[in-house]
Amino acid sequence: GCFYCHDITISGSLGGPSLNKIGNKTSAKWLFNWLKNPRSYHPTTTMPSPAQLLSEKETLALVCDQIEI
C-alpha cells in the first residue's frame, strides 16, 4: 500500500514524500488523476500506478480519504 513508500509524518519514508495533509496540497481531481497515471504528470517518477490494481471506485475512495470535503 501507500505506506510502504510514504508515511503521514513530516519526514516522508523510503523515498516517497510525506502524505501528511496531502489533501490540503492538491485538488481531488489532481490526486485522482495522479493515482490513475503518475507518469502523465512526471514521466520519470518511481511512483507505481496503484490505480492499475484498483477500480475507479477504490481509487476515488483513496482520494476521498485524503481530501477534506
Side-chain angles (χ1 to χ4, degrees), residues 21-46:
K21 299 184 181 181
I22 189 69
N24 295 334
K25 300 173 188 175
T26 65
S27 69
K29 181 179 179 180
W30 186 93
L31 188 54
F32 181 84
N33 289 330
W34 170 259
L35 291 172
K36 294 301 283 180
N37 187 3
R39 285 177 185 82
S40 70
Y41 286 93
H42 192 309
T44 60
T45 186
T46 58

Side-chain angles (χ1 to χ4, degrees), residues 6 24-25 34 53 59 63-64:
H6 301 276
N24 295 334
K25 300 173 188 175
W34 170 259
L53 304 174
T59 303
V63 171
C64 289

